[in-house]
Amino acid sequence: MLSIVEKDFGTPAPRPARLWKNVGMRSGGDVDVAAKLVTLTIDGREISVSEGTSVMRAAALNDINIPKLCATETLDAFGSCRLCLVQIDGVRGYPASCTTPVAPGMKVTTQNAKLAELRLGVMELYISDHPLDCLTCPANGHCELQDMAGAVGLREVRYGYDGDNHVYAKQGGEANPRFVAKDESNPYFTFDPSKCIVCSRCVRACDEQQGTLALTIQGRGFDSKVSASQAEDFLDSECVSCGACVQACPTATLSEKSLISMGQAEHSITTTCAYCGVGCSFRAEMKGEEVVRMVPNKDGHANHGHSCVKGRFAIGYATHTDRIYKPMIRAKITDPWREVSWEEAIGYAASEFKRIQAKYGRDSIGGITSSRCTNEETYLVQKLVRAGFGNNNVDTCARVCHSPTGYGLKQTLGESAGTQNFDSVMQADVIMVIGANPTDGHPVFASQMKRRLREGAKLIVADPRRIDLVRTPHIEAQQHLKLRPGTNVALINSLAHVIVTEGLVKEDFVRERCEIESFDKWRHFVGDALHSPEAMEAVTGVPAAQVRAAARLYATGGNGAIYYGLGVTEHSQGSTMVMGIANLAMATGNIGREGVGVNPLRGQNNVQGSCDMGSFPHEFPGYRHVSDNAARDLLENAWGVNLLNEPGLRIPNMFEAALDGEFLGLYIEGEDIAQSDPNTQHVTAALTAMECIIVQDLFLNESAKFAHVFLPGSSFLEKDGTFTNAERRISPVRKVMKPKSGYADWEITQLLSNAMGYPMHYTHPSEIMDEIAALTPTFTGVSFARLDELGSIQWPCNEQHPEGTPTMHIDEFVRGKGRFMVTEYVPTSEKVNAKFPLILTTGRILSQYNVGAQTRRTENVTWHSEDRLELHPSDAETRGIKDGDWCGIASRAGETVLRASVTERVQPGVVYTTFHFPESGANVITTDNSDWATNCPEYKVTAVEVTRVSQPSEWQKRYREFSERQQELLEARDAADAR
Amino acid sequence: MKARRIIPIQPEPGSALPPDERAAVRAAIAANKQRAGALLPVLHGVQDALGYVPKDAVALVAYELNLSRAEVHGVVTFYHYFREHKPGRHVVQLCRAEACQAVGAVALEAHAKRSLGVDFHGTTADGAVTLEPVYCLGNCALGPSVMVGEKLQGRVTPQRFDKLLAQARATA
């Protein structure tokens, strides 16, 4: 079922001609030509539309609604339902309006007696094989079939209902062989073939929109039916549960289970998904304050009406029974929790922080912001720390994911952000994916990328593991550079070596746009034979010929676009690698226009935003260093306080200081450092050492088990604000229900600030955004009103770019001239040896998100209910490990136990796991090693040994005991309450 | 907590096939993989070698041609010629197109079903014969037409049908 508020124009808007250009042609500058207008007459009305528009769309744009069933705007015209037939003067027969493009002077009739008769005939056939249970059908109220029956005036079905059919389980007392029972295997939607009209919309949605091609039409003629893979249950098929088919279905054949149980929504509010960095726009379809469905917004600039299993379906966590709605405090972490009023909780928190500061000094407390919170909330927390606590001890979880992106891109290009919008990929000719797994981590963008790849763009994947994108139906990477974890910089240098020594540098671009001395230095450096693919082969493990082929393809294949993820940043040389990528893009001129660029795929919904908002200890909002006097003056005047000009503590420094007895109070908003940060045992030791930890979250997460004050936060459905996605796109988050704990997160921070003695008086997040806009040069044009007007805005948005900036660095780099940085490869100190002979690397899976606090509390666990260790058959064999065995993983930092998945996806010598479940303890094994520039942890390289075991690790036993104890202390709260 | 399932890492495609069938499928793929639109030639190759397209072959064909299983399944089921179950030792195709119907194919069909004791797509209890309908063998001038294995037969009367079948049964 489509959105209840969107109008369906039947066929897609014509794609601008420039976007159809052949893959491989280099676009020089701006070739955008305004689409030509075509004027025609429909039902006597003169209408002008862009060339390439279908007759159906042209009519619908002018509120002439031609009956249709198989056509929908998100899919290419198909012309199978025969309801949209029209008459065109001078054209024989009755062409389908969906597949007929407009032509100048065309005269179209959409309604007359003949057309009515034809449509009625078609409708009769449909209804003769369709149940008549409309009143009790879940689609009732928004059923396109029912609407069309009404539109054509169907009053009787001459064929009757007793003939051959797919509707009834029994026919004349006998089992009906055509009948197929409802498939309820998927946790979120049902498939009821008896209601299917075989319009193929679901099949086409899976093919065109999602690109998984999990559905087909089986058989032919009256035997035709929709089949998931080989007539399997949806859950067993190739389906990834993105929901595109459910949305496309014009009947109740594919229906959300929530719709079935709740009935039709009565209003819809546009908001932004709180999962990954793609930042899809959704319409929350509501019944009062309850969400019936989340439907991807067709007008969403990041997702264009597409979604994935997380954003579309996995919102059950927001109302999960584990959620805590009342503030709680306790003096020691061994005490039971005590439910208290907001006043008492905030008062206690503030008094503790003041006590700690009085005793141990101003710098003994700090705060951690989260990439899952809105810009406004993040801004407030850093403001509280800087102005209220009087220090710069604020950091964010971006520290542990994309801090090297901020640093590396700032150094080279001048701005700490990706250079493109997502749509730019539709003009890329060569796509290079480095250390990212888009089909699992950024599924909606992956679908768009796959669409471009199916159109013929070339693909280079640099990843130690065979991610799905390497080979998936209709897509095959030209080169999979299967490097050893930790050798990124060696690889990028050898790619650069080929470009420099084979004369593939785009000299004029470099001369005009970049600092020539830095380029010469870099050219000299990478040109050294030391960096040749042949010399580096022994280091990276990638055959030299493959590296050469990949470099040539990227440099000469037309528009070259690089997309990268945490496989780039989470290394001891993360920042170096980011700079190496920027070097490569600049040297080949692949920057500053559509179709190219350097694109970090951000992990969480608001990583970009939390960095923009000044969450780092060394930077104010807008990436201005705390030592920048002008910026500090501006903020001091606005905030009415003196600010420190020295950077504060980073997260790892906070832990060190805590263990040294110098950092005793921490305010954590929406972040779970005890699970997500490396070397868990070190983190928990630091947390245990602190005197007051305030955790503001939905759940008693891992960190909250060490907390003294728990402030119940609000989900993204309960507050207003904005998220900024990986393409710098600021999108509105809208309150669809009131905060279940009484306060939205920004209000809680404000309460705490006021109690700490630094007054804040915001009455709505829009006022916070106004303050951000007033104080941050790249945000001056941003306001809630403007966001409502434009839908979303890509920063910079200011006087020069009043509608935002889709592509950056067009005429010149933000820093003026692009700067090449010399990127010496320094092997990580985390080396394999006889004791730890394997390298562990970590990643994500489609159905789960980050530490899993949200997705583990949804039906997404159907797909992935535990973390597993992937290891290569040869490594498994020498250790006597079989698929499904429990195996112990030991590193220099600790050990844990996971079940084995034996697979050739990983290379020999490399093992891989995810970290979505706390009991897995993936971060018990990861070490304290980190990026030299930003302290981003080296999650992707840990030397380990794997052995077959029969019981959990010591850490897991301690974890279980501790967790159980904390759960008891939480439950003791209820007992106290009941008294 | 309710029982939860783990989606296993995809097993190697086609690993459920017996080794000889798997080899035949691989051979059909190898012989046609490079052709444009390789799927139909590959499916023909599989059916020529095995007499049918096993369900488990679909995964292997899909993997090798880089298609989804759904796509291959859609094609296999679209064409009546492709069979998903192992046929009898002899496949008998009886023409039901107009020209043959005009000269006695309907009666022949009734006789064939009666004498073999099976309906269309069925296989005789002894596993010897599978009866299939076909729409035109291009032998219209000499109908009713029947194919027994690879051999086309014209002017097939019920008596001749029984004789042809007896001969076929005798050969293997």
Side-chain angles (χ1 to χ4, degrees), chain A residues 213-214 216-220 227 229-230 232 235-236 238 471-475 859 861-862 865 868 901, chain B residues 2 4-7 9 33 55 58-59 63-71 73-74 77-80:
Chain A
L213 304 102
T216 189
I217 299 290
Q218 166 187 312
R220 55 157 75 182
S227 150
S229 292
Q230 297 172 254
E232 295 155 32
L235 197 57
D236 297 327
E238 291 151 303
R471 195 170 182 281
T472 185
H474 298 267
I475 288 166
E859 291 293 333
V861 292
T862 310
S865 63
R868 284 217 179 185
S901 276
Chain B
K2 67 179 179 181
R4 284 171 179 163
R5 38 179 270 150
I6 302 288
I7 304 288
I9 297 284
K33 200 176 175 177
K55 213 169 158 50
V58 169
Y63 177 78
E64 290 292 335
L65 301 184
N66 207 14
L67 302 167
S68 70
R69 286 191 292 124
E71 287 176 280
H73 177 70
T77 55
F78 181 83
Y79 293 102
H80 292 146

Side-chain angles (χ1 to χ4, degrees), chain A residues 280-340:
Chain A
C280 296
S281 179
F282 273 89
R283 299 193 190 273
E285 294 195 352
M286 308 293 300
K287 227 178 173 167
E289 287 197 288
E290 267 190 289
V291 180
V292 178
R293 316 188 293 162
M294 296 292 283
V295 185
N297 178 4
K298 200 174 67 181
D299 301 324
H301 299 139
N303 58 319
H304 306 293
H306 192 42
S307 63
C308 79
V309 63
K310 295 190 280 273
R312 176 88 156 89
F313 297 118
I315 55 157
Y317 72 88
T319 48
H320 195 274
T321 50
D322 282 356
R323 254 192 87 174
I324 298 172
Y325 298 125
K326 296 222 170 106
M328 304 187 296
I329 59 174
R330 59 180 175 180
K332 298 195 301 291
I333 66 166
T334 48
D335 289 347
W337 283 103
R338 198 155 63 80
E339 266 182 12
V340 295

Side-chain angles (χ1 to χ4, degrees), chain A residues 654-655 658 663-666 685-693 706 708:
Chain A
M654 293 179 188
F655 297 150
F663 186 82
L664 286 309
L666 182 59
L687 293 176
T688 313
M690 292 190 210
E691 293 186 2
C692 181
I693 294 175
F706 297 87
H708 306 85

Side-chain angles (χ1 to χ4, degrees), chain A residues 156-219:
Chain A
E156 60 161 348
V157 173
R158 286 168 291 168
Y159 312 106
Y161 306 99
D162 304 328
D164 209 359
N165 67 72
H166 300 85
V167 180
Y168 306 107
K170 286 202 164 172
Q171 187 81 341
E174 303 261 311
N176 176 1
R178 294 197 188 277
F179 178 82
V180 179
K182 197 171 179 180
D183 170 7
E184 303 192 79
S185 60
N186 186 293
Y188 297 117
F189 62 84
T190 63
F191 172 59
D192 183 354
S194 72
K195 293 183 188 284
C196 181
I197 59 168
V198 203
C199 63
S200 300
R201 269 160 65 162
C202 54
V203 178
R204 290 183 286 142
C206 197
D207 293 359
E208 296 172 26
Q209 254 188 311
Q210 167 58 24
T212 295
L213 304 102
L215 303 181
T216 189
I217 299 290
Q218 166 187 312

Side-chain angles (χ1 to χ4, degrees), chain A residues 688-700:
Chain A
T688 313
M690 292 190 210
E691 293 186 2
C692 181
I693 294 175
I694 308 171
V695 168
Q696 183 173 325
D697 205 283
L698 302 182
F699 306 105
L700 194 79

